[in-house]
Amino acid sequence: ASMGSVVFPAIAADTEVRVSALDVSPYMRVTFDLIGNGRLVGTAAFSSLVPPDIPEDCSAWPLVQLSGVGADATARIWTIAFEVGRVLPISFDSIAGMTSSDSSRLAIDLARAASGVPGDTVGELRGLPYQVRRAYRFDIAPGVEGVLAEVQRVLNQEANPMEEHLLLVAERDSASRGRLAVAYYERAAGSEELLESSEILALIRFTAGGDLAAFVARYVGDGVIYSMLQRTGSRRWRLQWSSPYTGC
């Protein structure tokens, strides 16, 4: 059986999530589109609320059982769900699934783009090469390519190992002359165990208005923050929404 967490987007990012205070009953009659690997994999509805089983000093979103997911494995491989008809999934290619020549070329392009991002304040990491942790390539419009990626620099010194993670969105079009132009970035540096890492949940286009957005899970310590990055114009993206932290 499939289960999912219900994230309430209206709750402010600086709020502590108390699962007992959140009411999922208004959503029990709603059908949801399930999205995974860049496509619609099925629909489902909430069948029941799963009692929370979390330590007292931890927080979590309400957990629900889903009905109507389907018996085939494809329908069960979903990462995020929206009310039916609200969004259209955008397919993407992961660098991990590309040919070696395509992945090498994209890694080089991303390293070049990352090295030009302003705000490099970690002196110990300057000059070290960027490595791609994960990257996803997608089409924005005819002749316009987008890339969402997380790249890193690592200093492997025994006494004080240090890492820097750079989350960036870049675009390539006729005006960028074949180069990736950075449209959005976030930089974080510190020790490995304290740094967040990011995972793409979905790239979507809203059916109302046609805006394009990326939903990202940010893993921090033992918890997670969900965020939405939205395209606001040519080579322009912004952080539009973030959920509160849930975890321990």
Side-chain angles (χ1 to χ4, degrees), residues 126-147:
R126 279 189 199 137
L128 292 175
Y130 280 99
Q131 303 162 327
V132 178
R133 283 173 63 92
R134 47 183 66 86
Y136 308 91
R137 187 174 60 189
F138 55 98
D139 290 331
I140 294 172
V144 184
E145 177 185 88
V147 177

Side-chain angles (χ1 to χ4, degrees), residues 54-55 57-60 192-197 218-226 244-248:
I54 54 170
D57 55 348
C58 300
S59 60
E192 182 183 8
E193 62 271 12
L194 297 177
L195 267 186
E196 74 172 47
S197 62
R218 308 159 180 271
Y219 299 103
V220 189
D222 293 323
V224 63
I225 296 169
Y226 300 107
Y245 172 90
T246 53
C248 299

Side-chain angles (χ1 to χ4, degrees), residues 1 23 65 69 126 129 181 200 217:
D23 179 17
Q65 194 92 41
V69 174
R126 279 189 199 137
I200 183 171

Side-chain angles (χ1 to χ4, degrees), residues 34-37 39-43 69 72 74-79:
L34 306 178
I35 294 173
N37 293 321
R39 59 197 183 94
L40 182 66
V41 295
T43 58
V69 174
D72 65 313
T74 308
R76 293 197 298 271
I77 304 172
W78 63 277
T79 53

